[in-house]
Amino acid sequence: MAGASIWMRCLAPAAAFALAACAQGGSESANGDDWPDYDGPGTTHYSPLDEINDGNLDRLGLAWHFDIDVGGQSLTAPVAVDGILYFAAGASHVHALDAATGKLLWQYDSQTREKAGVELRGAWGSRGIAYANGKVFTGTLDGRLIALDAKTGAVLWTAQTTERNDGRYISGAPWVFKDKVVIGHGGADYAPVRGYVTAYDQATGKQAWRFWTVPGDPSKGFENKAMEMAAKTWTGQWWKYGGGATVWNAMAYDSKYNRLYIGTGNGAPWNRKIRSPGGGDNLFVCSIVALDADTGEYVWHYQTNPGETWDFNSAMDIELAELKIDGVPRDVILHAPKNGFFYVIDRKDGKLISAKPIVPMNWATGIDRKTGRPIENPAARFPEGKPAVVYPSPFGAHNIEAMSFNPSTGLVYIPAMDQGRVYIDPTGPLSAWTFKDGQRISNGIGEIPPEPKPRPATSFLLAWNPLTQSEAWRIPLKGVRGGGGTATTAGNLLIEGRGDGRFTILAADTGKELWSFNARTAVMAQPITYRTGGKQYIAVVAGSRFSTAQGYEPEWDYRTQQWRVLAFALDGKDSLPPPVEKDMAIPDNPAFHVDPVLAREGARAYGERCAGCHGAMGLAGGSAPDLLRSQVPLDASAFADFVRNSPLVSRGMPAFREVPQRELEAIAHYLRQRAREVAKEPPKAAPIDNRGQ
Ligand code: HEC
């Protein structure tokens, strides 16, 4: 049972590291048997369980597997409570399985796809859910927060946390503490969205409080003092652009200070010159904001990117720990946002303790310890329309793949990326978003010119010492985004899936690979571990989440990879069925004459409407079928019918009812053209889909 006691795991100074560190808990599991919400029994994706450990991995085997069959992709973190494993696959289809056997106990379909229609902007679904007091909570892409009875899956209440069709969507996990459940949303990459988080009463679904993350139109008055303060850091008519700062991923509940920390996202639109033309920090974009958990009132903030302009954010993990710094135990936040710095922040007052880069970067040369502000490189702000190659890219040095902190090793494990992107103002007047039929074409940044080019992207698993702010070791990975989310345990385990299809366990202290399993598909979701019936299990959801090919060989195919929950235990005896062979043939219809004018129109329409799921330039990465290999586009008019009246709505393929016949046929012309190009010359390097989330 997820108990009320404060979970805290402190170890005496570990011999090898001579440091005392604790991982401290929010939604608490007293003994680590449960993994009740996104960030684990504490907040650092760390488990005190050690039955499975670095000395017995030769006995670790697949205990059971569960085939997920709801269509689309499932990059999701399960939770485990009282011997039941819960997870939300596809578009918030919540499943409950017997955590010891994988037997399905109940399944709940939120009908998000039917409700959201073409609002489904990408292949995302829910990245996580939460459990508290006999209830399971899930958000949906159409902005609902739903409470289910954990025993039966029956709906207890539903709260619409956004206005319908206001550009907001929910892909992140809810956070639970005391009698409340809190949810944020995304959307600032696509629409003039003003971010907020809302707390609800767990029992009734009644709204308890809401905190807006950026100020609205001053003529309408401010909601609170914090908004009044924040408005002084904006210029122009920012409210017309929403402002952004959505809380779309991480939060953390701090039981010691009874605070909720929220991590805010990028400004909307990305380019600050548009939303705040006279400059300014633009609070609370790109910040950690501490709120009173009972009232939602502002306590302090720390802004990682004042005046953010690159789609950076502070939405990545916020992990709570106690570190002994200069001999004094300090309550700290560990944070590795997109911008490439690793931050140690004092939880008491939000003051910076230390910050160091974890990847090569060029937007700043460091962080001023006194002010906590970055020392920026002015050229990185692409002044006067001069293109700038900026590192990191909007993918970030670290993204949604969870980092973890192990108090015994004192190390943080970060799925890291080293990549850059060219930023430039759009030609012509600065416009926030160019929209066509509700779809975004531009985000205030100009089209990427052929030159200059960033260096080739790489990815790696980084073990980072937050005390010394230095690298302990790193493991280079395949692909531009090779590492999945991590978890770490008292058994000296560091658990991580890989884009190349391996599920691995490394020694948490040395990084030596101790064990691996061929999952036959990418494993990018974060693993969890739990104990039921006196036995420890490690579980993960496997399946490629990518819309666009990421450079793996062979690339994962939607139709032949199987989304699965995999659960491992000592002496596990299960095995996977034989893999389904992938047919790489590209079909063609010689009677299909590509009209180059239509193909050009189709390229644009495809980019706006289809690429988010089917991959940039038709190169699919596993989250939806590969349309270059599909039979459906072989006939333009039959294809248009299919796309307009999609028979696969419940499986994640929206029906594009409003799109004119010509535009859909144009997409068929584009796909035929691309299919013939790719058949002639298979692509060497996959293009990168540049959306951060
Ligand atoms: C929100 C994600 C999403 C978007 C956006 C999307 N699709 Fe799909 N599409 C899917 C998924 C998922 C499937 C597979 C469903 C299943 O059968 O499991 C699919 C299936 C298809 C198929 C059937 C392929 C086959 O061979 O079985 C076609 C054709 C297709 N989509 C075309 C399009 C076109 C054209 C667009 C843009 C106008 C588009 N889709 C936009 C998710 C999407």
Side-chain angles (χ1 to χ4, degrees):
M1 182 67 214
S5 69
I6 294 172
W7 180 88
M8 182 156 136
R9 176 85 177 169
C10 287
L11 296 183
F17 294 89
L19 83 94
C22 313
Q24 294 177 335
S27 175
E28 302 87 4
S29 169
N31 53 14
D33 277 8
D34 295 339
W35 189 286
D37 57 19
Y38 184 81
D39 47 17
T43 64
T44 72
H45 303 266
Y46 167 79
S47 167
L49 299 181
D50 63 359
E51 179 197 335
I52 304 170
N53 59 55
D54 56 0
N56 60 16
L57 290 174
D58 52 335
R59 286 173 52 206
L60 188 68
L62 188 67
W64 54 261
H65 67 277
F66 176 87
D67 288 1
I68 300 173
D69 190 25
V70 294
Q73 64 107 326
S74 301
L75 177 85
T76 192
V79 302
V81 177
D82 279 345
I84 301 180
L85 188 88
Y86 306 91
F87 65 97
S92 299
H93 293 69
V94 183
H95 295 65
L97 309 182
D98 181 320
T101 65
K103 184 173 160 269
L104 181 69
L105 302 175
W106 55 257
Q107 192 173 346
Y108 163 75
D109 177 1
S110 63
Q111 302 250 310
T112 295
R113 288 163 172 159
E114 290 80 354
K115 290 194 162 75
V118 291
E119 275 179 69
L120 293 181
R121 287 175 207 281
W124 320 307
S126 156
R127 284 190 307 278
I129 59 178
Y131 174 98
N133 301 315
K135 297 180 187 68
V136 173
F137 301 94
T138 186
T140 67
L141 291 170
D142 59 324
R144 288 169 291 155
L145 177 67
I146 302 171
L148 303 174
D149 183 326
K151 283 217 172 61
T152 63
V155 177
L156 299 173
W157 53 259
T158 300
Q160 181 71 43
T161 80
T162 63
E163 300 291 323
R164 286 309 313 279
N165 299 317
D166 66 357
R168 297 180 172 89
Y169 60 84
I170 301 174
S171 55
W175 250 260
V176 287
F177 51 88
K178 294 162 101 181
D179 60 349
K180 294 197 175 57
V181 48
V182 173
I183 191 78
H185 58 80
D189 290 335
Y190 297 92
V193 161
R194 180 183 175 206
Y196 57 73
V197 292
T198 318
Y200 296 88
D201 182 275
Q202 283 176 13
T204 62
K206 193 166 165 275
Q207 182 172 324
W209 52 257
R210 171 167 290 176
F211 181 81
W212 294 88
T213 55
V214 291
D217 180 351
S219 72
K220 298 198 172 130
F222 297 113
E223 288 83 2
N224 50 43
K225 283 253 166 357
M227 287 300 102
E228 203 176 327
M229 166 177 87
K232 299 196 174 98
T233 66
W234 291 77
T235 53
Q237 299 189 314
W238 70 85
W239 57 93
K240 293 196 171 152
Y241 304 97
T246 61
V247 183
W248 59 273
N249 194 51
M251 299 185 236
Y253 173 65
D254 186 337
S255 51
K256 183 160 176 186
Y257 295 90
N258 191 36
R259 281 182 198 151
L260 183 73
Y261 305 111
I262 59 172
T264 68
N266 54 279
W270 293 1
N271 193 338
R272 186 185 63 174
K273 292 167 204 161
I274 298 170
R275 61 173 199 266
S276 189
D281 287 355
N282 292 185
L283 292 174
F284 297 103
V285 161
C286 241
S287 307
I288 293 178
V289 186
L291 303 176
D292 180 296
D294 295 334
T295 62
E297 274 163 52
Y298 167 91
V299 181
W300 58 250
H301 75 274
Y302 178 81
Q303 188 174 39
T304 52
N305 274 97
E308 189 283 318
T309 199
W310 305 277
D311 186 30
F312 289 162
N313 65 38
S314 260
M316 304 320 161
D317 308 284
I318 298 172
E319 303 193 346
L320 312 183
E322 186 185 291
L323 291 183
K324 205 170 207 170
I325 297 170
D326 301 330
V328 183
R330 302 275 292 271
D331 296 324
V332 302
I333 286 174
L334 307 174
H335 187 50
K338 280 186 181 177
N339 75 17
F341 283 95
F342 188 93
Y343 296 86
V344 180
I345 297 163
D346 194 323
R347 271 151 56 197
K348 211 167 59 262
D349 51 17
K351 294 274 181 295
L352 179 73
I353 294 173
S354 63
K356 278 276 154 45
I358 58 168
V359 295
M361 64 162 69
N362 67 354
W363 71 270
T365 52
I367 308 286
D368 183 324
R369 272 277 292 279
K370 266 231 264 336
T371 61
R373 293 177 71 90
I375 305 153
E376 273 191 29
N377 164 14
R381 284 192 179 265
F382 43 108
E384 291 124 39
K386 283 203 201 81
V389 184
V390 178
Y391 300 89
S393 79
F395 275 138
H398 172 220
N399 205 297
I400 53 173
E401 290 80 14
M403 69 178 195
S404 55
F405 169 65
N406 190 320
S408 325
T409 62
L411 298 177
V412 180
Y413 307 102
I414 309 167
M417 293 177 274
D418 173 19
Q419 44 188 276
R421 174 195 156 130
V422 178
Y423 293 78
I424 185 170
D425 288 327
T427 49
L430 287 176
S431 61
W433 292 273
T434 315
F435 278 108
K436 200 161 163 262
D437 303 329
Q439 298 284 322
R440 177 199 63 164
I441 304 169
S442 127
N443 209 335
I445 307 287
E447 254 181 70
I448 296 178
E451 295 293 335
K453 274 195 177 51
R455 61 175 175 265
T458 62
S459 63
F460 51 98
L461 172 60
L462 178 68
W464 188 259
N465 185 329
L467 206 56
T468 57
Q469 286 281 18
S470 60
E471 175 172 337
W473 43 262
R474 74 169 64 193
I475 313 282
L477 300 178
K478 266 188 226 155
V480 298
R481 195 161 180 174
T486 67
T488 183
T489 76
N492 193 30
L493 305 186
L494 166 55
I495 309 163
E496 190 195 37
R498 302 280 165 79
D500 67 8
R502 290 176 341 117
F503 185 51
T504 67
I505 300 183
L506 316 184
D509 51 1
T510 63
K512 181 166 181 265
E513 185 171 312
L514 303 173
W515 178 93
S516 85
F517 177 85
N518 179 2
R520 300 191 194 138
T521 177
V523 188
M524 298 303 288
Q526 57 171 345
I528 69 163
T529 183
Y530 57 89
R531 182 162 52 194
T532 181
K535 204 173 168 77
Q536 184 185 354
Y537 293 81
I538 292 172
V540 72
V541 172
S544 176
R545 65 165 289 229
F546 297 116
S547 49
T548 292
Q550 299 281 314
Y552 301 113
E553 196 51 53
E555 205 56 65
W556 305 113
D557 172 52
Y558 179 80
R559 293 277 179 222
T560 53
Q561 68 165 331
Q562 175 61 54
W563 286 92
R564 287 197 170 103
V565 186
L566 305 172
F568 302 88
L570 295 182
D571 309 318
K573 294 279 184 291
D574 189 16
S575 59
L576 295 181
V580 181
E581 280 310 314
K582 178 176 158 185
D583 182 2
M584 296 296 286
I586 296 185
D588 202 358
N589 170 11
F592 193 131
H593 294 291
V594 172
D595 174 338
V597 175
L598 276 181
R600 209 168 317 125
E601 278 178 44
R604 191 183 162 93
Y606 175 89
E608 288 167 31
R609 301 182 186 281
C610 322
C613 294
H614 290 283
M617 299 178 72
L619 300 174
S623 66
D626 183 339
L627 296 183
L628 304 186
R629 299 197 163 82
S630 167
Q631 301 280 342
V632 186
L634 293 181
D635 178 294
S637 107
F639 172 80
D641 280 350
F642 180 98
V643 177
R644 183 174 308 109
N645 307 303
S646 171
L648 302 173
V649 170
S650 66
R651 298 193 54 83
M653 168 62 198
F656 290 83
R657 284 190 222 293
E658 314 298 321
V659 183
Q661 178 79 7
R662 179 185 164 97
E663 194 175 325
L664 292 177
E665 291 196 10
I667 295 175
H669 281 259
Y670 168 67
L671 289 171
R672 215 59 273 120
Q673 188 183 61
R674 281 295 292 151
R676 286 173 189 165
E677 279 167 20
V678 170
K680 232 203 258 140
E681 196 179 342
K684 284 189 196 73
I688 295 175
D689 175 359
N690 247 327
R691 277 159 320 137
Q693 335 183 4

